[in-house]
Amino acid sequence: MATTVTADAPAAAAPPAPPAAPVKQREGYAANAFAHIFLAVWGLLVTIPLIWAVIQSFKTDDEIIHDPLGLPEQWLFGAFGRAWTKGNIGEFFLNTIIVLLGSVTLTMLLGAMAAYVLARYPFRGNRAVYWMFVAGLTLPIYLGILPLFLLVQDMSKALGLEEVIGLNTHLGLILVYVAYSMPFTVFFLHAFFRTLPTTIAEAASVDGAGHVRLFFQVMMPMAKPGLISIGIFNVIGQWNQFLLPTVLMKDSDKKMLTQGLLELATNARYETDFARLFAGMTIAMLPILAVYLGFHRQVQSGLTGATLK
């Protein structure tokens, strides 16, 4: 029997080399690294001046002038007492708290109600009203400051309420703050209310809940992240507001905290008490810093909630 000779079997092929990382993935890593570096630099640019200003409030004037970058030889707290009493920061602080309690409360209540109706109830003119609020975001306050001053002055005279809502009154400034903050509040909450599920609202309506009960007991609790976020923005914006109180609040007994800091800065040049000025700045920024640190997670969830829903 003839035998057949077969050739040797070819060697097994080597495993293919792993593919190179996709170009898009590498670009994503580069963009991520750039974003982290940018945020770190930006954080240092914001944090270092704040820490420096706080440290200056514990120094003497001689140390502030001759060694501005060094630490104080002895940590002194007297500048805070001088800023609170002699610098009238305590009085300005109280005036600001009074105005913010009224303005932020009214802004959140009226803004949430307007945004909810515009987002959930279709009616003729709905979009026109909404775009009127949005148009308020495009108007710089500097362009309307003179008409605003005349409006507050003339309207209070026409109503006979100059001592209530006129110039140099807390209630008058509260109403102006509310009008100033309403466009962004409605714009933000309108987008948030549109993302809330309609099934829960329909179930509450079937159970007999009216419009008022549906809004306050069902929809507002569901919109809590968005309300907290826009509330923090309103607190920060109104706390740091300088132009409006400067124009509308000339009475020295009713001035806001930003006006008081300007007075401290002016007086520091003549009284050479720079530590008192830095102490006043520290007192002014600590409440806002504490509010943000306490609610920063809610702010982040509120800003991303509408996107994730």
Side-chain angles (χ1 to χ4, degrees), residues 29-80:
Y29 289 150
N32 193 25
F34 174 78
H36 281 79
I37 294 174
F38 175 80
L39 291 176
V41 173
W42 180 81
L44 291 175
L45 292 176
V46 173
T47 305
I48 291 176
L50 292 180
I51 296 176
W52 178 84
V54 173
I55 293 176
Q56 304 311 302
S57 61
F58 296 97
K59 292 182 176 182
T60 62
D61 287 342
D62 184 69
E63 291 176 331
I64 293 175
I65 295 173
H66 295 95
D67 189 16
L69 299 180
L71 295 175
E73 295 182 2
Q74 184 178 359
W75 295 79
L76 304 174
F77 294 86
F80 292 91

Side-chain angles (χ1 to χ4, degrees), residues 76-309:
L76 304 174
F77 294 86
F80 292 91
R82 298 194 305 272
W84 189 265
T85 55
K86 188 177 179 181
N88 297 323
I89 289 297
E91 182 179 352
F92 300 142
F93 192 93
L94 179 61
N95 291 335
T96 305
I97 291 294
I98 292 174
V99 171
L100 254 69
L101 285 176
S103 60
V104 173
T105 302
L106 283 177
T107 300
M108 296 304 299
L109 177 61
L110 298 179
M113 295 171 66
Y116 171 71
V117 171
L118 293 174
R120 312 290 294 198
Y121 293 94
F123 58 89
R124 182 177 297 178
N126 181 299
R127 301 305 295 173
V129 175
Y130 171 73
W131 285 112
M132 287 179 62
F133 279 109
V134 175
L137 297 172
T138 65
L139 177 66
I141 189 61
Y142 301 97
L143 296 180
I145 198 65
L146 179 59
L148 177 63
F149 176 85
L150 298 176
L151 176 63
V152 174
Q153 178 180 267
D154 297 341
M155 185 178 67
S156 59
K157 288 182 179 179
L159 297 176
L161 299 174
E162 294 180 77
E163 302 298 327
V164 180
I165 60 173
L167 301 175
N168 300 315
T169 61
H170 286 155
L171 183 56
L173 189 60
I174 287 173
L175 296 179
V176 172
Y177 275 6
V178 172
Y180 172 76
S181 304
M182 279 289 287
F184 182 67
T185 303
V186 172
F187 173 76
F188 184 92
L189 292 179
H190 179 272
F192 202 89
F193 276 121
R194 288 178 63 90
T195 64
L196 298 181
T198 58
T199 54
I200 298 178
E202 293 173 352
S205 300
V206 171
D207 291 339
H211 296 297
V212 176
R213 183 181 176 187
L214 176 64
F215 174 69
F216 284 102
Q217 296 186 2
V218 178
M219 305 306 290
M220 282 195 70
M222 294 173 60
K224 183 179 177 180
L227 293 173
I228 292 178
S229 299
I230 193 61
I232 296 299
F233 282 121
N234 283 327
V235 168
I236 294 175
Q238 295 178 17
W239 182 273
N240 295 327
Q241 181 59 238
F242 175 73
L243 180 63
L244 293 177
T246 300
V247 174
L248 302 176
M249 194 70 72
K250 296 294 185 181
D251 193 343
S252 59
D253 296 333
K254 298 181 179 179
K255 287 184 177 181
M256 298 293 103
L257 191 56
T258 50
Q259 296 172 283
L261 291 178
L262 179 61
E263 289 189 2
L264 276 182
T266 304
N267 296 334
R269 294 180 297 177
Y270 303 102
E271 300 179 10
T272 62
D273 194 350
F274 296 105
R276 185 180 67 181
L277 171 61
F278 286 109
M281 294 171 55
T282 302
I283 294 173
M285 69 181 180
L286 283 181
I288 295 300
L289 185 61
V291 169
Y292 180 77
L293 291 178
F295 293 95
H296 71 281
R297 294 188 181 275
Q298 289 84 348
V299 172
Q300 294 173 359
S301 63
L303 292 176
T304 58
T307 305
L308 299 177
K309 286 182 180 292

